[in-house]
Amino acid sequence: MQDNQHGSQMTEVEKFDEWVKGFFLDPETCALDHQLFSIDIYESDDEYMVEAVLENHDVEDIKVCLCDNELSITVDDTGKHLLEKKEDTRPTQRKIPFPFSICSRRITAEFSNPILVIRIHKFSPGKTDEDINIE
């Protein structure tokens, strides 16, 4: 991605700002917020944060995975559906594709019902596994 005005490479912060604008203006994002679960994205001086509202779920139902620049949040409550005898037992998944690689960053996740917060540290390198442990 290049900044045409200056002809130089965009910084990570600029890429993130542009991507966030596009992400939230995308009609599919809004539809998925209503159909599945809502996602919000924040930035602080030290980290990027992804917040998901996962009402009526337990930490055991939630899986956070990473693949290069894409973060995915999967909610699998098939056990609950079996008890309720519902037909649709597919896991619910949202994917968040970052505009740069995040796989070499320290990533942490915390679930405090109903909010899942995933923190991608800007300046703390770390070898992150594909599956991210949720505290």
Side-chain angles (χ1 to χ4, degrees):
M1 217 178 261
Q2 286 203 346
D3 179 351
N4 292 331
Q5 185 178 13
H6 298 88
S8 62
Q9 291 284 59
M10 291 177 70
T11 67
E12 183 176 289
V13 172
E14 291 169 331
K15 287 180 185 179
F16 180 78
D17 290 344
E18 286 296 312
W19 169 75
V20 166
K21 287 177 195 172
F23 183 80
F24 287 111
L25 291 176
D26 184 348
E28 185 177 347
T29 297
C30 184
L32 292 173
D33 280 351
H34 291 291
Q35 293 171 359
L36 303 177
F37 54 85
S38 66
I39 289 179
D40 212 343
I41 300 170
Y42 304 96
E43 179 185 17
S44 72
D45 290 340
D46 299 326
E47 56 195 13
Y48 303 108
M49 291 162 281
V50 176
E51 183 178 282
V53 180
L54 302 171
E55 295 183 32
N56 303 316
H57 294 288
D58 298 320
V59 71
E60 297 83 21
D61 302 334
I62 304 165
K63 184 175 181 179
V64 178
C65 296
L66 173 68
C67 184
D68 191 34
N69 68 332
E70 188 171 77
L71 197 61
S72 71
I73 302 169
T74 305
V75 180
D76 186 358
D77 54 1
T78 54
K80 292 176 186 175
H81 287 300
L82 291 174
L83 292 174
E84 297 170 7
K85 299 193 188 295
K86 288 187 179 180
E87 295 296 319
D88 186 11
T89 59
R90 292 173 294 164
T92 303
Q93 183 179 56
R94 296 278 311 260
K95 293 183 178 184
I96 303 106
F98 277 77
F100 44 80
S101 179
I102 57 175
C103 66
S104 62
R105 315 267 177 113
R106 186 170 148 240
I107 300 175
T108 58
E110 301 168 10
F111 183 64
S112 181
N113 204 347
I115 307 293
L116 172 68
V117 178
I118 302 164
R119 298 175 188 277
I120 302 151
H121 301 267
K122 291 180 180 179
F123 308 111
S124 296
K127 175 66 177 116
T128 304
D129 295 326
E130 283 187 8
D131 293 336
I132 296 165
N133 188 38
I134 302 171
E135 297 176 15

